[in-house]
Amino acid sequence: MNILLQMDSEEVQESQLVSLNDVKKWALINMEEGQVVEINHYDTREEIDEWIDVVVVINNNEYVWPFMEEQIMVLVAPMQRSIDDIVEAFLFKELHEIGVV
């Protein structure tokens, strides 16, 4: 499973999840059997050639239609900002799916 995050840097331990308007690096987390296998960083989303299963955003107000049109599940991390916290919340199903109005 590949999870896409928009981050403020590529420092895995220090970077924070940011708004889609403020993204500096895209982090693609590859997970298998509940474990992080690898984390790759990209300057632009267009550089990513792997399938994206899930994208995590900071709130319901993000412009997520491009992801939804690509059949990518969009989850919201209302409080989680670090990669570790987001992965943990994902595993424990603490992130909620964005609703389509």
Side-chain angles (χ1 to χ4, degrees):
M1 169 165 288
N2 288 320
I3 302 172
L4 183 64
L5 307 175
Q6 56 282 349
M7 307 302 288
D8 62 0
S9 78
E10 66 180 67
E11 296 297 322
V12 173
Q13 297 303 319
E14 289 86 32
S15 62
Q16 298 286 305
L17 185 70
V18 295
S19 165
L20 289 167
N21 293 329
D22 299 326
V23 63
K24 298 217 181 346
K25 288 288 184 176
W26 294 92
L28 187 64
I29 303 169
N30 178 269
M31 295 185 64
E32 291 179 12
E33 299 178 10
Q35 299 291 321
V36 174
V37 176
E38 70 179 327
I39 301 173
N40 294 308
H41 289 90
Y42 301 89
D43 291 322
T44 66
R45 184 165 172 247
E46 291 73 29
E47 293 177 33
I48 302 169
D49 59 1
E50 297 179 54
W51 176 258
I52 300 168
D53 297 291
V54 176
V55 64
V56 179
V57 296
I58 62 171
N59 63 49
N60 288 329
N61 297 322
E62 296 287 332
Y63 182 69
V64 297
W65 278 109
F67 300 111
M68 296 174 117
E69 287 175 347
E70 293 179 43
Q71 305 300 312
I72 299 172
M73 179 188 303
V74 180
L75 299 177
V76 177
M79 299 178 297
Q80 302 83 356
R81 294 296 176 254
S82 71
I83 289 176
D84 288 342
D85 288 347
I86 292 166
V87 168
E88 181 179 335
F90 177 79
L91 292 172
F92 287 103
K93 300 188 184 326
E94 296 172 352
L95 305 177
H96 63 274
E97 190 167 0
I98 200 162
V100 179
V101 183

